[in-house]
Amino acid sequence: MDEPIARLLGALERVEAAFPDQPALASLAAAARHEPTGEAANAVGTALVRLGRKDLAKCLYEVALALDPALYKPLANLANLALESADLERAVDCLERATALSPSRGALWASLGSALQRLGRFDEAASAYRAAANLAPSHAVVHNLGLCLSAAGSNEMAVVAFREALALDHDALVTHFALAEALIALERFEEALGPLREAARTCGDDVGIVANVIRYLQVARHDDEALTQLSRALEKWPADDTLLLLLANALLRRDALADGEPFFAAAIRAGAAGPGAWLQLARIRLRQKRYAEELEILGQAAERFPRAAEVGIQFAASLRHARRIEDSEAELQRVLALGPSADANCTLAGLRLDIGDASAAMRLIREADVEPPDPAFNGALAAMVANYVDEMSPEETKSTVERWARHAVPPVPVLSLPDRSLDPDRRLRVGYVSPDLRGHSVTRFLEPVLFHHDREAFEIFCYSTAELELDAVTDRIRAMDLTFRDLGKRDAYELATAVRSDRIDLVVDLAGWTAGQRLEAFAMRPATIAITYLGYPATLGLPFIHYRITDSIADPPGSEAGYTERLLRLDRCAW
């Protein structure tokens, strides 16, 4: 007796013993005994899947393949079982063999695309989905093709795929969103408006989807449209926390947060179930410098929402600002008693750093530093704290700060740079970015640098990102032979596009990870070269900052191993 047939007969005995009262299964088993083929064994396996015995089904599929190696069905069924158990590599192997045996079956290619997509092998997945779409086009297949193209960085091709998917199902909400996202990644913001409006049209009365539409409108810089949609949505859902936060973000971009006060007050009167309205009202008072009222609002919110960690954390920050350090720490400890909170841990670490207890600050940072990373983990603060402790080698500090830095800067689009003149005699454009272009220690060192720049070789631009009021020092800088832009009330994207529009060759960060930094704008690569200087004493851990200006005193020869940046040492002293 052939070995595959012997395996089949043994498997059938196990099946009959397990299911003595299943006449349909018994009939399939009898047929397989009578004619032991791959098709027959595969049919028994499929019946066993329906009965919940996937272990026996797997055995029958393997026997079917042994009986007929040219049969694609058992390979496809084995792939399905592998997908269900998350054995993606096994699923891909089976499906690649199945598509080789039966290349004209679109469903096999679609399944292969799905397995490869789950593995993150997006280029290969896109090829499989493309084959499936050519054989049996469907909305799901073409939509997934677009997702893989986008994930692989081919957003132009993804846009084409998403539009083809919408031609197959124009009301597919997820595809309108995906198309808008791809267009936003390409900075084609005007084109993104159409699919976002279609998403709004098809989402019905689902407040979560409406909020997503508005969020994407804000990302695409369609602020007027976002505010229009928000006004309509808040008429229906006046106390929705997500909508109130989106409103606050939209108004902040216009430096008009106070305009939202009637909405936040109405939400409180409507008995909002969440704390968002209180938090935004407190935010308004903070910006108005009405600190006592801010503290009072947050205290009321903490009493009303005692289990809301975000309220406790903001209340603690207000107490800290009022110099009530013990009360601030007590509130953060109360939040942590509710459950783990990376945000509370990091806020408490900042408080500890303020009072000089760097070791305790680092312990709190370490507690919050988990895998996978908590979105609330403050990588910028963690990098700052690392400068105050001596527990890691420079190499360890570098690798740790690089990891923290990845979570401190959100994913952002990379800007396309304008063409630049290749004339070797033209003046280079240098842009300095800082929140401290005012009475500040950084500016005491920077002023003479700005004043003594060789204007025949360089054009100088200064970008102030200060949210605080500018002063006489600012006026002195403005009076120099340079271009000064006040962008303190503009977001990172507007800063980056200003740098790009000014055709800056070298953009210089003067803040590092200190308060008011705008490293998110640097992540958009608005200039050819990015440098950090003056305002921070260590590596930033960011791959898009190419150089650090220093000297042989601050960073002696041999210090390179502790830096992501390439060190540019000035003679004598960089300061």
Side-chain angles (χ1 to χ4, degrees), residues 77 205 210 258 437 454 462:
N77 290 327
D205 282 338
V210 170
L437 299 177
D454 181 355
C462 285

Side-chain angles (χ1 to χ4, degrees), residues 379 383-384 387 394-409 509 512-513 519 532 536-548 562-566:
M384 278 285 292
N387 296 312
E395 294 83 359
E396 290 172 323
T397 300
K398 171 180 173 285
S399 62
T400 301
V401 169
E402 285 175 344
R403 181 167 56 80
W404 287 340
R406 284 197 297 270
H407 309 307
V409 178
D509 156 63
W513 288 117
L519 292 171
T532 185
Y536 192 74
T539 185
L540 301 183
L542 296 167
F544 46 81
I545 302 294
H546 306 110
Y547 299 95
R548 164 176 159 79
Y563 285 92
T564 305
E565 306 85 358
R566 182 177 176 182

Side-chain angles (χ1 to χ4, degrees), residues 91-262:
V92 167
D93 176 66
C94 290
L95 287 164
E96 286 178 338
R97 291 160 62 193
T99 52
L101 291 170
S102 186
S104 62
R105 294 188 178 274
L108 292 179
W109 289 106
S111 295
L112 176 58
S114 176
L116 290 164
Q117 184 178 8
R118 289 169 63 182
L119 279 169
R121 292 159 59 179
F122 298 115
D123 286 324
E124 296 170 80
S127 295
Y129 280 130
R130 191 173 283 109
N134 289 337
L135 291 165
S138 71
H139 168 264
V141 164
V142 182
H143 174 83
N144 285 330
L145 169 61
L147 292 179
C148 291
L149 290 167
S150 183
S154 301
N155 281 303
E156 292 281 4
M157 297 172 67
V159 166
V160 174
F162 290 134
R163 284 180 169 152
E164 289 176 358
L166 288 169
L168 294 166
D169 183 357
H170 185 68
D171 290 332
L173 181 68
V174 291
T175 308
H176 285 298
F177 273 125
L179 174 57
E181 191 169 17
L183 289 166
I184 289 168
L186 293 166
E187 298 181 70
R188 289 158 59 178
F189 298 136
E190 288 303 317
E191 289 180 68
L193 185 57
L196 288 172
R197 282 176 171 164
E198 285 299 307
R201 178 185 64 80
T202 58
C203 70
D205 282 338
D206 187 319
V207 65
I209 297 175
V210 170
N212 260 339
V213 171
I214 294 167
R215 185 178 293 110
Y216 273 102
L217 285 167
Q218 290 182 347
V219 172
R221 326 302 294 179
H222 291 296
D223 293 339
D224 289 340
E225 182 85 12
L227 283 169
T228 298
Q229 297 276 1
L230 273 166
S231 296
R232 292 175 187 159
L234 284 167
E235 288 178 6
K236 288 185 179 180
W237 303 286
D240 183 83
D241 261 14
T242 302
L243 293 177
L244 292 171
L245 177 60
L246 290 169
L247 175 64
N249 290 340
L251 294 173
L252 271 172
R253 189 178 282 176
R254 298 183 170 204
D255 192 31
L257 182 61
D259 291 352
E261 185 165 343

Side-chain angles (χ1 to χ4, degrees), residues 43-71:
V44 176
T46 301
L48 287 166
V49 169
R50 297 193 189 100
L51 292 169
R53 285 300 301 269
K54 294 177 183 178
D55 55 332
L56 284 176
K58 180 181 177 184
C59 178
L60 266 295
Y61 291 145
E62 290 171 346
V63 169
L65 198 57
L67 287 166
D68 188 352
L71 194 62

